[in-house]
Amino acid sequence: MIKLLSFIAFELLVVLLLAFINKKYFNYKLSNFKIAVISSFFFYISILAIVFVINYTLKNELDSFDLNGDNNFSIDERTLEQQQVMKAIISDTGRNLAPILGIIYSLIYFTIIIIPLNIFNKKKNKSTN
């Protein structure tokens, strides 16, 4: 749960950073739509990067059990730990579907981000008029 909250906090920090850059360097030339698209794209890339790191870590952990380096596990290489790591690699369909599910999550994230950006922009425009 802490990892999920830190991921969401990091992604929201990206949105705030984009809004700050838009204000400071672009003088509000980036639309809310562009900010939401950029942050959603970053969200998608972050999901894929996390999945890549998890796959890499699990593969390295599994390779540590292959003592003779033949990419097969002989009887003496099969341990309870090796079977648990193998099961973690084989049974996690979420990592395999991450490119597809990441698009769906990014669209949901886009919707969640665009609404507050539009509300904030309307309030900002009313206060300047």
Side-chain angles (χ1 to χ4, degrees), residues 51-98:
V51 168
F52 177 77
V53 168
I54 291 171
N55 281 339
Y56 184 77
T57 304
L58 287 174
K59 174 83 168 93
N60 282 342
E61 190 174 346
L62 187 62
D63 286 344
S64 70
F65 293 105
D66 188 12
L67 301 176
N68 57 7
D70 63 351
N71 292 331
N72 289 322
F73 295 101
S74 59
I75 294 174
D76 59 331
E77 294 172 336
R78 292 182 191 161
T79 63
L80 182 62
E81 289 180 61
Q82 182 269 340
Q83 290 173 352
Q84 289 173 344
V85 173
M86 180 67 88
K87 187 176 181 179
I89 290 174
I90 293 172
S91 66
D92 191 2
T93 57
R95 284 193 326 270
N96 296 327
L97 295 175

Side-chain angles (χ1 to χ4, degrees), residues 22-40:
N22 187 30
K23 177 184 175 185
K24 184 155 178 113
Y25 298 108
F26 294 114
N27 198 21
Y28 295 108
K29 291 181 183 172
L30 288 177
S31 66
N32 292 336
F33 181 81
K34 288 180 183 177
I35 291 173
V37 167
I38 293 169
S39 62
S40 296

Side-chain angles (χ1 to χ4, degrees), residues 88-129:
I89 290 174
I90 293 172
S91 66
D92 191 2
T93 57
R95 284 193 326 270
N96 296 327
L97 295 175
I100 298 166
L101 292 175
I103 292 171
I104 296 168
Y105 291 146
S106 295
L107 290 173
I108 294 168
Y109 182 76
F110 172 83
T111 305
I112 291 171
I113 292 302
I114 194 75
I115 293 169
L117 285 173
N118 284 335
I119 292 171
F120 177 73
N121 195 26
K122 285 180 185 177
K123 287 183 180 180
K124 182 181 68 86
N125 288 339
K126 283 183 182 179
S127 65
T128 58
N129 289 337

Side-chain angles (χ1 to χ4, degrees), residues 3-14:
K3 290 180 183 180
L4 176 64
L5 291 176
S6 61
F7 177 75
I8 291 171
F10 178 72
E11 295 299 330
L12 291 176
L13 184 66
V14 168

